[in-house]
């Protein structure tokens, strides 16, 4: 195996952006999504050709990473510019350690969001494939495409005699069919770049203890973006742009009591606390106990003390005893000034995602749960309070149809304008009025994905080329 010799790659033409196959879905799921994106309301509005084109672009862009890395900054700890300069220094050190020459780092503040920094992603880059192949799981492969190194637990197969220092081409096992410990794999896989092995094969697969730490340091990733592993952990937090927008749309105020119903791993919880200046109370609930510890860890790292996290089912978080004064859940009705319901969902807006193996039944299983949570959210919200509902999926059933159902089910709720409003309006197909759709915010990368050019200003690309995401804001009258 040859040792690594750095080569300077230039970005490919934008016509060649589609280097991965479209997201792999079960045929029944593809048909379901096609019916969603080619529903009667959409067809009458934009025509069959444009609707079909949008759907095909969606399937393509979902398998590719967004063109920007979004970093949320702890402006409750230090000013944005101060943290920006520290981040530039850290990333310059990181990039110079893997390159023979001085590297410039482009970090721009977002023009509308005061606690966001944007970094361009360089790619796809023309990287030469090697004969030595290492295979990682799909989740690990997606992380590599967004700037991560390969951690040892994500490695599924490696060359038979691989040792530390060997250079390998890294492939992602798209369909999850590679046998752990294999020496080769002929199934469906995609190339994500080249890296230098930090561990030999035996220390990854032939040990009693699970392998830990970096298994492969990526030196020629197909998509180049900085690794944020342990970079200024108390000052910066990697977060998709729409997820940051949610916190601002909720608009928490100092001294308020806020509920985050499905909080783990705590990114949005911590953002809410930071926006309040850590003054007030943010209650975070999640059903899975070990995820609660993650919320505590994130709060501690980001120096936030106003967060109280509990392992509890939010659908059951309303107490039947209105006089109950216990600190934790369940809570009396009308206990919170604002509620965030970032609901469990099918996650079909996540990027990059090269394959989803779920059945149509699994994809469609979230709507009833979301409605149970909605009932609890409305009851827990004070009159005059704000409820924000969000998902990271692209279906109508989990987004606009839930809004239509909520407005019909809860006459006390009215839709509110969102600030900032960076995404598109809501999607046609749920019977909502044009005025109602304009109040919704749907991040729809397929609307402009194939027109995204590296010449466009970074903030413009960042606002358009995101994960698929949905936000609705309600006032309880």
């Amino acid at each position: 195996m040859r040792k690594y010799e750095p080569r300077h790659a230039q970005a490919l033409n934008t016509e060649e952006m589609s280097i991965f196959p479209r997201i792999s879905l079960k045929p029944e799921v593809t048909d379901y999504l096609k019916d969603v994106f080619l529903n009667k309301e959409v067809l009458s509005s934009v025509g069959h050709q444009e609707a079909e084109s949008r759907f095909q672009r969606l399937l393509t862009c979902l398998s590719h990473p967004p063109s920007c890395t979004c970093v949320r900054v702890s402006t409750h700890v230090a000013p944005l510019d101060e943290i920006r300069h520290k981040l530039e220094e850290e990333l310059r050190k990181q990039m110079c350690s893997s390159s023979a020459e001085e590297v410039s780092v482009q970090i721009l503040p977002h023009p509308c969001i005061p606690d966001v920094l944007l970094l361009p992603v360089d790619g796809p880059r023309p990287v030469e494939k090697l004969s030595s192949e290492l295979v990682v799981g799909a989740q690990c492969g997606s992380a590599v495409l967004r700037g991560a190194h390969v951690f040892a637990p994500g490695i599924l197969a490696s060359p038979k005699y691989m040792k530390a220092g060997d250079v390998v081409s890294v492939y992602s096992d798209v369909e999850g069919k590679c046998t752990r410990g294999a020496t080769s794999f002929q199934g469906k896989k995609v190339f994500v770049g080249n890296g230098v092995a930090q561990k030999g094969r035996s220390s990854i697969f032939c040990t009693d203890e699970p392998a830990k730490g970096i298994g492969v340091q990526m030196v020629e990733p197909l998509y180049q973006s900085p690794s944020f592993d342990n970079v200024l952990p108390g000052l910066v937090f990697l977060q998709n742009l729409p997820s940051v927008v949610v916190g601002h749309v909720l608009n928490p105020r100092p001294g308020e009591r806020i509920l985050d119903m499905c909080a783990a791993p705590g990114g949005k919880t911590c953002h809410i606390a930071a926006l309040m200046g850590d003054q007030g109370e943010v209650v975070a609930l999640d059903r899975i106990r070990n995820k609660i510890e993650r919320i505590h860890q994130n709060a501690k790292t980001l120096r936030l003390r106003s967060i109280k996290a509990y392992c509890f089912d939010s659908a059951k978080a309303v107490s039947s005893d209105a006089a109950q004064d216990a600190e934790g859940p369940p809570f009396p009705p009308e206990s919170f000034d604002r509620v965030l319901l970032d609901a469990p969902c099918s996650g079909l807006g996540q990027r990059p995602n090269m394959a989803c193996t779920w059945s149509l039944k699994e994809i469609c299983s979230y709507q009833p749960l979301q409605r149970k949570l909605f009932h609890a959210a409305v009851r827990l919200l004070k009159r005059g309070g704000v409820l924000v509902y969000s998902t990271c999926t692209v279906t109508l059933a989990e987004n606009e149809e839930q809004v239509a159902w909520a407005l019909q089910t809860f006459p006390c709720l009215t839709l509110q304008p969102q600030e900032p409003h960076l995404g598109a309006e809501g999607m046609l197909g749920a019977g909502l009025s044009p005025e109602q759709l304009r109040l919704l915010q749907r991040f729809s990368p397929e609307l402009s994905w194939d027109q995204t050019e590296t010449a466009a200003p970074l903030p413009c690309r960042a606002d358009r080329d995101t994960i698929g995401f949905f936000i609705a804001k309600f006032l309880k009258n």
Side-chain angles (χ1 to χ4, degrees):
M1 297 181 191
R2 70 180 182 86
K3 299 294 182 184
Y4 170 62
E5 297 172 2
R7 293 188 301 280
H8 304 295
Q10 299 297 317
L12 301 178
N13 294 330
T14 49
E15 295 82 31
E16 296 177 89
M17 277 188 71
S18 181
I19 58 164
F20 299 134
R22 282 179 274 189
I23 183 174
S24 173
L25 302 167
K26 293 198 170 184
E28 60 189 34
V29 175
T30 302
D31 292 343
Y32 168 73
L33 279 181
K34 188 169 184 177
D35 287 344
V36 169
F37 279 78
L38 276 71
N39 70 69
K40 290 179 182 177
E41 284 189 62
V42 169
L43 291 177
S44 65
S45 175
V46 304
H48 191 280
Q49 186 174 348
E50 173 59 18
E52 176 72 38
S53 176
R54 287 181 186 180
F55 175 61
Q56 296 303 331
R57 289 202 302 264
L58 173 74
L59 297 182
T60 302
C61 76
L62 287 177
S63 64
H64 293 67
S67 60
C68 293
T69 296
C70 174
V71 180
R72 178 166 59 77
V73 174
S74 298
T75 49
H76 65 287
V77 175
L80 181 97
D81 277 345
E82 182 183 319
I83 297 174
R84 178 184 173 187
H85 291 312
K86 286 184 178 179
L87 184 58
E88 282 175 348
E89 289 174 16
E90 286 293 318
L91 295 183
R92 192 175 288 114
K93 285 181 204 168
Q94 177 192 120
M95 295 167 83
C96 287
S97 68
S98 60
S99 174
E101 61 183 44
E102 182 71 16
V103 178
S104 63
V105 181
Q106 186 184 8
I107 305 176
L108 295 178
H110 193 283
C112 303
I113 308 178
D115 55 358
V116 162
L117 295 173
L118 301 169
L119 294 83
V121 173
D122 175 21
R125 305 155 77 235
V127 179
E128 179 188 335
K129 297 176 184 177
L130 310 175
S131 57
S132 300
E133 297 182 1
L134 179 137
V135 182
V136 301
Q139 191 173 359
C140 180
S142 295
V144 168
L145 289 175
R146 299 202 72 172
H149 296 297
V150 174
F151 282 79
I155 299 174
L156 299 176
S158 76
K160 190 171 184 180
Y161 300 109
M162 185 182 78
K163 60 187 182 300
D166 288 342
V167 182
V168 292
S169 280
V170 179
Y171 288 80
S172 177
D173 171 20
V174 173
E175 296 176 327
K177 294 184 177 177
C178 181
T179 304
R180 181 169 173 78
T183 55
S184 63
F185 176 59
Q186 304 307 317
K188 190 172 181 180
K189 60 190 176 185
V190 295
F191 175 64
V192 296
N194 297 331
V196 177
Q198 303 299 294
K199 298 174 182 291
R201 176 181 170 85
S202 60
S203 63
I204 295 170
F205 298 119
C206 306
T207 58
D208 295 333
E209 294 292 319
K212 295 179 182 177
I214 294 177
V216 177
Q217 183 164 359
M218 297 302 296
V219 290
E220 283 189 308
L222 204 55
Y223 282 83
Q224 176 85 57
S225 54
S227 168
F228 278 81
D229 182 39
N230 212 30
V231 172
L232 304 180
L235 297 177
V236 299
F237 190 90
L238 270 184
Q239 198 163 18
N240 287 303
L241 183 63
S243 297
V244 182
V245 171
V246 166
H248 287 282
V249 168
L250 186 67
N251 194 24
R253 305 292 174 85
E256 291 184 330
R257 193 179 193 211
I258 315 285
L259 175 63
D260 186 354
M261 295 184 75
C262 306
K268 296 181 185 72
T269 310
C270 292
H271 190 204
I272 292 166
L275 288 172
M276 295 164 64
D278 209 24
Q279 299 172 47
E281 183 181 337
V282 184
V283 174
L285 302 182
D286 202 273
R287 292 174 60 179
I288 302 173
R289 186 164 298 281
N290 61 1
K291 288 187 176 182
I292 297 299
E293 183 52 38
R294 182 86 182 274
I295 298 172
H296 284 139
Q297 286 173 354
N298 279 331
K300 185 178 180 181
T301 300
L302 295 168
R303 299 182 231 176
L304 297 164
R305 298 178 180 177
S306 58
I307 295 169
K308 295 180 179 177
Y310 303 95
C311 181
F312 202 82
D313 182 353
S314 286
K316 301 173 182 175
V318 188
S319 171
S320 56
D321 181 6
Q324 178 181 332
D325 59 356
E327 186 178 277
F331 305 100
E334 301 190 7
S335 289
F336 295 94
D337 299 290
R338 298 173 199 261
V339 175
L340 172 60
L341 173 49
D342 185 49
C345 69
S346 56
L348 289 173
Q350 292 290 0
R351 296 174 59 195
N353 184 8
M354 295 183 194
C356 175
T357 57
W358 287 4
S359 67
L360 182 58
K361 184 178 180 181
E362 288 171 305
I363 295 290
C364 296
S365 67
Y366 287 92
Q367 193 187 60
L369 171 61
Q370 290 159 355
R371 293 187 176 182
K372 282 182 185 176
L373 291 165
F374 224 113
H375 273 282
V378 174
R379 291 185 64 196
L380 288 167
L381 185 63
K382 292 177 182 177
R383 278 171 280 191
V386 168
L387 165 61
V388 169
Y389 172 81
S390 61
T391 73
C392 57
T393 196
V394 298
T395 69
L396 271 175
E398 297 170 85
N399 296 329
E400 289 83 358
E401 284 182 15
Q402 295 293 49
V403 170
W405 166 84
L407 293 173
Q408 188 172 11
T409 306
F410 308 104
C412 60
L413 293 184
T414 53
L415 281 173
Q416 297 295 297
Q418 299 184 36
E419 184 61 40
H421 199 298
L422 306 179
E425 61 186 37
M427 186 177 171
L428 291 161
L432 295 168
S433 70
E435 294 76 17
Q436 290 170 325
L437 291 175
R438 280 193 287 271
L439 292 171
L440 302 176
Q441 186 162 198
R442 180 185 266 257
F443 287 84
S444 303
E446 76 281 357
L447 294 182
S448 59
W449 187 76
D450 63 346
Q451 296 149 28
T452 301
E453 299 175 2
T454 53
L458 185 63
C460 293
R461 281 185 281 149
D463 291 352
R464 294 193 304 243
D465 193 15
T466 65
I467 63 170
F469 204 88
F470 178 83
I471 310 172
K473 182 178 184 178
F474 302 89
L475 180 71
K476 182 177 178 181
N477 300 310

